[in-house]
Amino acid sequence: MLRIERKGLLLSLFLFCITTIYSGQIWAQQSVARQWNEALLEAIRNDFARPTVHARNLFHTSIALYDSWAVYDQTATTFLLGKTVKGYNCEFDGFELPEDIDAARRETMSYAAYRLLLFRFSFSPGADQSLPSFHQLMGDLGYDIQFTSEDYSTGSPAALGNYIASCLIAFGRQDNSNEFLDYRNEFYEPVNPAMDPSSPGNQGVTDPNRWQPLSFEFFIDQAGFLVPGNTPNFLGPEWGLVIPFALKSSDLTIYERDGNEYWVYHDPGEPAYLNEDGSGLSAEYQWGNSLVAVWSSHLDPTDGVMIDISPASIGNIPELPTTIEGLRDFYNLFDGGDISLGWDVNPKTGEAYPPQMVPRGDYARVLAEFWADGPDSETPPGHWFTILNYVSDHPLLEKRFKGEGDILDDLEWDVKSYFALAGTVHDAAITAWGIKGWYDYIRPISAIRYMADKGQSSDPTLGNYAIDGIPLYEGFIELVEEGDPLAGSQNENVGKIKLYAWKGHQFINDPDVEVAGVGWVLAEGWWPYQRPTFVTPPFAGYISGHSTFSRAAAEVMTLLTGDEYFPGGVGEFVAKQNEFLVFEEGPSVDVVLQWATYQDASDQTSLSRIWGGIHPPVDDIPGRLIGKDIGIDAFGLAERYFSGDVVTAVDVVSETLNPILVYPNPINSEFLSIKSHIGKGNDIKIEIISLGGKNVFEKTFRPAETWNIDVRKIPAGIYILTIFHNKGSESARIVIE
């Protein structure tokens, strides 16, 4: 299996202790939960870069560790052991507690994690590295890997661990991830033909609002592995169907397309669409994608633009926009960045944050690569585990749950924090990819090339005008004129769109010593700031997974520690001069990424995807807003398990067993159909209420599975439909056109 390694290995990952070193000396300083988490993160780095899959791996491994810990605890409630979760029952007849609970707990945790990870990574492209590391860790801990019994009735902690792993493997067979067919898509099909990014234009896009696959001579993912096939499939468009952690039926809307269901939690509504006549939110689509092109001009460390990247200038965002039109006031179109206020002082020291002036081109490039899939491809959900581990190792952190009460020992802190964070990133993956699959939104490389192929939309008196073209910005997006170096030998490019942007890989022969730089390029050949064998992730853009993962994780970190600030008031990552960047030389100076708060780190993640050419603003902000809700809800549920408040997982997870299906949605016909199993034996009442609170429909129905509602008298708009029944209520967001 071909793998392209990062230049400079892991570099100086500041105080992030993420380099996994399998030695007794290192392991002795860490809890057994931490050791298995580090082993998992390293296995993720040695696997295909699949954020959805690895968010699930992190969650299921955290369950293995948590249930193995909680079964010995007098207060905490297990998640799967002895519970029925979404139809799967992991039977448990009880277990006589041994005299040495601490030793038994470590043994159970190790066997549970070991067996699960062996199963999950046996067919990984890096299995030849990952599996021996699991074996070696078991040996270092003094456990026999040949012991496979699951008969915990003997009192064996190891057998109990094997049994817990067996339950998780069986649970994974029916969690809708399609693991046993290598997470293959069952029904999704792209509507646009594939684009070869090395050729000009977008090559036949039929719908500029839908995702376009990319074709390559060979495709290497962000973990550096060669992926079979030259046109990668959409990763996880049906992931909304996967069994979640804390997501509820009240968060869920079920859509139908081509006879197939798409489950969408925390539905953000439609992004900005481009229309041929310029109607609707076309102008916001054009503005947002042209912003990505303009920010590409910031990737030159020699342009003389210096910025302060310390917390004195970056971070502390007062509020996020809540409308698509409001995005324009949040981002700085020409200079880059957002409305950050910065922080006057470090609250932990009482002193001002010292400024750090660096070339903007270095900052933007480092940001784009650092947050892409983690410093060494542990994927975005795994990246937040490295941040959690860094915080846990910080000498100024007191391991008090929510910053209150007694200091927890390392094992309890790690088990609880992993369970909370893993449940969060799992729910974030289900939510973001459910939205991606349904809305199927275009990426900037396709949108920018499409608009440029159409023409310019700014001035009807100029040449090459198209109302659905790309806006012109002097010095950034212009028309090619005669005499222009890009005009071509026969003036064949006169009238085309040109961008002042990162020039791309054709200007780099040796990435160890050369920089592409920024200059005028034809828009039809624009590239995002990504490696040439990757270009853009193989899935739709809306909403940003990075924004969703990061804001959700930042909320958990804040709630877990009881403090919005990193220990000491600052977290740091050092990108060493001419060592960190992968596909061109750089940075030109040492760049120290700094964050005062966890939310500040999350917000930098989001900006990194714009500078990297991956997302327009419309992908970003909904991910942040939704991520906040996911993080708070998941942490709240985890806390209920810790306190023993959750008697059975049925009352939490099974809430999504009987959701409602509303179709068509958006509604462009005279009748709306509603389908739900909750009406089989119950009278139900259906209400439709506008977002302004006006009741526009209310009726009681007899038991049935399907109901039809006449919506001809309801004005066009967005509404909340609610079914009330004897066990509660179910809601869905509907759009009447």
Side-chain angles (χ1 to χ4, degrees), residues 446-588:
S446 298
I448 290 171
R449 290 188 180 198
Y450 178 88
M451 291 189 296
D453 284 352
K454 299 288 283 188
Q456 57 87 14
S457 63
S458 294
D459 190 345
T461 67
L462 295 177
N464 199 12
Y465 175 76
I467 196 170
D468 54 347
I470 193 168
L472 298 178
Y473 297 112
E474 185 177 357
F476 298 98
I477 305 176
E478 297 181 356
L479 290 172
V480 176
E481 299 177 349
E482 289 189 19
D484 191 300
L486 295 176
S489 59
Q490 304 296 321
N491 285 326
E492 64 271 17
N493 295 326
V494 171
K496 290 184 177 182
I497 306 296
K498 65 176 182 178
L499 309 176
Y500 193 67
W502 186 66
K503 292 192 293 186
H505 298 281
Q506 64 269 35
F507 290 88
I508 302 173
N509 293 315
D510 185 351
D512 287 335
V513 296
E514 293 180 347
V515 175
V518 166
W520 287 104
V521 298
L522 291 175
E524 65 185 20
W526 177 81
W527 282 70
Y529 183 71
Q530 304 291 327
R531 63 169 50 136
T533 53
F534 177 75
V535 183
T536 203
F539 42 82
Y542 184 77
I543 57 176
S544 167
H546 277 69
S547 294
T548 311
F549 282 130
S550 296
R551 185 56 185 269
E555 293 295 332
V556 169
M557 294 296 298
T558 299
L559 292 167
L560 174 68
T561 62
D563 192 346
E564 64 180 319
Y565 292 90
F566 277 86
V570 63
E572 294 183 338
F573 168 82
V574 180
K576 298 296 293 182
Q577 179 182 10
N578 293 332
E579 291 184 14
F580 179 70
L581 299 183
V582 174
F583 44 81
E584 66 176 0
E585 177 72 308
S588 65

Side-chain angles (χ1 to χ4, degrees), residues 382-403:
H383 193 174
W384 278 92
F385 274 79
T386 70
I387 294 175
L388 169 60
N389 288 339
Y390 156 64
V391 170
S392 297
D393 287 344
H394 201 289
L396 295 180
L397 177 73
E398 291 187 340
K399 296 180 179 178
R400 304 180 192 274
F401 185 70
K402 299 173 62 176

